Amino acid sequence: MTKETIILGIDPGTTIMGFGLIKVVGKTMQFVQLNELDLKKYDDHYLKLKLIFERTIELIDTHNPDEIAIEAPFFGKNVQSMLKLGRAQGVAMAAGLSREIPITEYSPKKIKMAITGNGNASKEQVAKMLQSLLALKTLPKNLDATDGLAAAVCHFYNFGKIESGKSYTGWSAFVKQNESRIKK
């Protein structure tokens, strides 16, 4: 019997969190869902973090993913934006870790490279390639959802090559891999 694996891909954000799910049967991936959590109407940053956590838990409880692939924050010049994005990513990771789901982090360049063969591809190029790969009839208006789906597909392409991204199987693994950052 061929093992079935569900991968949840997340593009964290405090304005829009994109996510996508694929099912892997043997060496074949199948599209399950892509969508986004629109947070634009909320002003309270902490409420946004709560909603990200709750939506991620809801996705986990509904689809029972075996693994989570998450896009790592890219380094920008605006420190406040980076801090907010890092918090959004951390909350999504905490949701997965609370359910003991292995999480792998991929840089935006690595995801783009896995999908298009070009680490500098545009969001539109990534979306079009996903549309072709997964036979998607339409693409969403906002491409954050396809960015989340791209993280899941990137993870599929990197099965067995996990050393390329940071991977955590639970809180203890996360703490162990980040001991140097944790003050004692």
Side-chain angles (χ1 to χ4, degrees), residues 59-177:
L59 287 165
I60 291 167
D61 291 348
T62 301
H63 297 283
N64 300 307
D66 299 287
E67 302 190 30
I68 295 175
I70 192 162
E71 185 174 311
F74 60 91
F75 297 99
K77 292 180 181 173
N78 186 327
V79 177
Q80 287 302 315
S81 293
M82 280 298 302
L83 181 61
K84 287 178 180 177
L85 191 56
R87 287 176 177 166
Q89 182 198 33
V91 166
M93 290 172 76
L97 292 169
S98 75
R99 295 292 200 261
E100 298 185 5
I101 299 171
I103 297 170
T104 305
E105 212 177 333
Y106 294 98
S107 71
K109 262 191 183 311
K110 178 137 183 104
I111 293 171
K112 290 174 183 180
M113 181 63 102
I115 305 303
T116 68
N118 175 2
N120 296 314
S122 68
K123 280 180 172 280
E124 292 77 15
Q125 289 171 315
V126 171
K128 284 289 188 191
M129 184 59 81
L130 287 171
Q131 186 174 28
S132 174
L133 286 169
L134 297 167
L136 304 175
K137 289 184 176 77
T138 59
L139 289 173
K141 186 176 71 164
N142 296 319
L143 298 181
D144 298 274
T146 52
D147 286 351
L149 183 62
V153 173
C154 173
H155 189 64
F156 166 74
Y157 287 144
N158 283 280
F159 272 170
K161 303 180 209 165
I162 300 304
E163 72 278 356
S164 60
K166 292 183 182 175
S167 184
Y168 311 111
T169 54
W171 282 115
S172 58
F174 176 82
V175 171
K176 186 172 180 145
Q177 289 183 32

Side-chain angles (χ1 to χ4, degrees), residues 37-54:
L37 173 61
D38 189 346
L39 300 161
K40 287 185 224 128
K41 62 185 171 203
Y42 304 104
D43 293 327
D44 184 341
H45 181 66
Y46 299 105
L47 174 60
K48 290 180 179 188
L49 295 176
K50 177 181 181 274
L51 294 170
I52 292 167
F53 183 86
E54 289 173 349

